[in-house]
Amino acid sequence: MQVGLTHSGLSLTTPVSTGSVNTPSAVRRPNSGNVRPNDNRFPESPLISTRPLRYNVQLNQQLTSVQQADNYLSRVEGQLLQLRYATQNGRRGALLEEAAGALDNLLNHRLAMSQQTVDRNLAVTLEQPARVTFTLPAAQRLLQSDEAETVIFSVAGQRREMVAVALEAGSSPRQQVLRLNTGLGRFGIHATMDSQQQLSFSVEEKNWQQVSSQLSVRGEDKRFSSSFTALLARPENSISDTLSEVARQPQRMRELQGDVQKALEQLTQQRSHLFVQQENVRRRIDEMDAQYPAGDALGHARALRQHLEGSAGNYASVARAVGAQANLQPGTVKNLLT
């Protein structure tokens, strides 16, 4: 029995509500000789929510994440194309404001609308939470090795949390970074150093607001003052930042045309990646399904009933029939029962 679907899977074409907008062609899908026409078993959200036990928990989560990410990216792509069309054709007034406002709303509520499956660069993050990369104004002082110092970092909030990091004299920059990560890791902050020995940090996006506004540091009057000083975290510029700027100032569309094109290319690439994820899910579903032509299950049941009725009193025949049922694969039994 095949998995029942009420819809045809996720569309990878860009939905555009305005008929005059030229929509981009569908994302190219790799050719596959094994794919049968009109055989799309990727479940829709209503099917998952109404039959949550149809798949295991891990597969359920993967199904939901892929759908949420693709839905969000397709909406952003559609609104961005509408806004670009409106600005290129000299539109003014309500149409332009509507397109700009819709795009700005999507970008402002990205985490909620995508259920944290899309990061600030419109990259899909199915396996791990979205993160924000940022810099700190006085970060390079942390790599100084001339004096030992105990540095205390603090994050305020409902309760103040503090962590101490012991920076030793004579330590290499890499050793200092390791010590930083041991301490800052308690706040979910991770430090990295590039080939030019420039420090950058990252934190899960859900914690970014708190870190960006409430992170402070205190030293021993060597690298840092002996009183707590606020550290103003500066996030790296992202694709969503650029698109937000375009949405708020549509007149800059021509000036930022190159960045807008890069954003569209990123959207196409990420949705192609999601298509691969969908194909992986379909294969897993195929492995769970026992494929029967329509009516086969009922036919087998009737044949078994006739055999049992005709074998009344024949213990050996009945035993063989019962034994055959006991040896059916679990997936086959579940499909017959659902």
Side-chain angles (χ1 to χ4, degrees):
M1 182 178 296
Q2 296 183 359
V3 176
L5 294 182
T6 57
H7 299 285
S8 62
L10 297 178
S11 171
L12 292 182
T13 55
T14 303
V16 178
S17 58
T18 304
S20 59
V21 178
N22 294 324
T23 59
S25 60
V27 175
R28 293 184 181 273
R29 300 185 178 188
N31 293 327
S32 175
N34 298 325
V35 177
R36 297 186 295 275
N38 299 323
D39 186 18
N40 189 343
R41 286 183 297 279
F42 192 81
E44 297 290 342
S45 299
L47 182 62
I48 298 173
S49 60
T50 57
R51 301 177 66 186
L53 298 181
R54 186 66 182 84
Y55 313 107
N56 60 43
V57 174
Q58 181 182 14
L59 186 55
N60 248 341
Q61 292 174 341
Q62 187 176 4
L63 291 170
T64 304
S65 296
V66 169
Q67 290 171 334
Q68 289 167 333
D70 187 72
N71 179 61
Y72 177 77
L73 291 178
S74 75
R75 293 176 66 186
V76 171
E77 186 178 36
Q79 291 299 335
L80 180 57
L81 287 170
Q82 287 192 43
L83 181 59
R84 186 171 71 168
Y85 175 83
T87 55
Q88 288 178 344
N89 289 273
R91 299 293 182 90
R92 294 290 185 271
L95 181 61
L96 182 61
E97 292 179 4
E98 181 181 354
L103 177 60
D104 194 41
N105 182 65
L106 282 171
L107 297 170
N108 287 337
H109 298 89
R110 170 177 46 81
L111 283 181
M113 290 183 175
S114 72
Q115 292 298 303
Q116 301 185 29
T117 59
V118 178
D119 69 12
R120 299 174 71 246
N121 284 304
L122 302 183
V124 176
T125 57
L126 299 179
E127 305 297 331
Q128 57 187 2
R131 300 184 70 86
V132 177
T133 301
F134 62 95
T135 59
L136 296 172
Q140 294 308 118
R141 299 183 198 172
L142 296 168
L143 300 182
Q144 295 175 7
S145 60
D146 50 346
E147 293 183 279
E149 183 177 21
T150 298
V151 178
I152 299 176
F153 292 93
S154 171
V155 174
Q158 294 183 348
R159 63 174 187 175
R160 192 180 187 94
E161 297 182 73
M162 293 185 289
V163 63
V165 177
L167 302 175
E168 298 181 0
S171 297
S172 68
R174 189 169 299 277
Q175 289 173 324
Q176 305 287 48
V177 171
L178 290 175
R179 291 190 178 92
L180 282 173
N181 284 330
T182 300
L184 293 176
R186 292 182 56 185
F187 300 148
I189 299 174
H190 181 75
T192 57
M193 183 179 63
D194 62 19
S195 58
Q196 304 299 319
Q197 294 191 357
Q198 297 297 310
L199 277 178
S200 62
F201 304 83
S202 67
V203 67
E204 287 189 20
E205 191 164 4
K206 64 182 180 181
N207 298 326
W208 165 244
Q209 194 63 37
Q210 182 181 23
V211 169
S212 63
S213 60
Q214 299 174 351
L215 180 64
S216 58
V217 64
R218 186 182 74 185
E220 299 175 329
D221 291 324
K222 296 173 184 176
R223 295 173 179 83
F224 297 99
S225 169
S226 57
S227 58
F228 277 106
T229 304
L231 290 172
L232 302 178
R234 298 172 182 169
E236 68 173 4
N237 192 43
S238 66
I239 291 177
S240 61
D241 291 333
T242 301
L243 295 185
S244 292
E245 192 172 348
V246 171
R248 293 165 189 167
Q249 301 180 62
Q251 66 274 14
R252 298 194 62 192
M253 174 68 76
R254 188 177 299 275
E255 173 190 346
L256 298 173
Q257 182 62 38
D259 294 322
V260 171
Q261 185 59 38
K262 288 180 181 178
L264 288 171
E265 292 172 358
Q266 169 77 336
L267 289 165
T268 299
Q269 181 185 24
Q270 292 300 307
R271 298 190 69 199
S272 296
H273 171 69
L274 286 172
F275 172 72
V276 174
Q277 296 292 321
Q278 290 184 32
E279 289 299 305
N280 292 337
V281 171
R282 289 190 187 98
R283 280 194 292 271
R284 291 186 63 185
I285 292 175
D286 286 341
E287 292 172 359
M288 296 170 62
D289 293 336
Q291 303 296 325
Y292 290 103
D296 262 21
L298 182 58
H300 287 308
R302 286 173 175 169
L304 177 60
R305 183 190 66 184
Q306 293 173 0
H307 178 75
L308 292 175
E309 289 176 347
S311 302
N314 188 335
Y315 176 79
S317 296
V318 174
R320 283 196 299 272
V322 173
Q325 294 180 70
N327 291 326
L328 289 174
Q329 295 183 358
T332 302
V333 176
K334 287 194 290 185
N335 280 321
L336 290 173
L337 294 177
T338 55

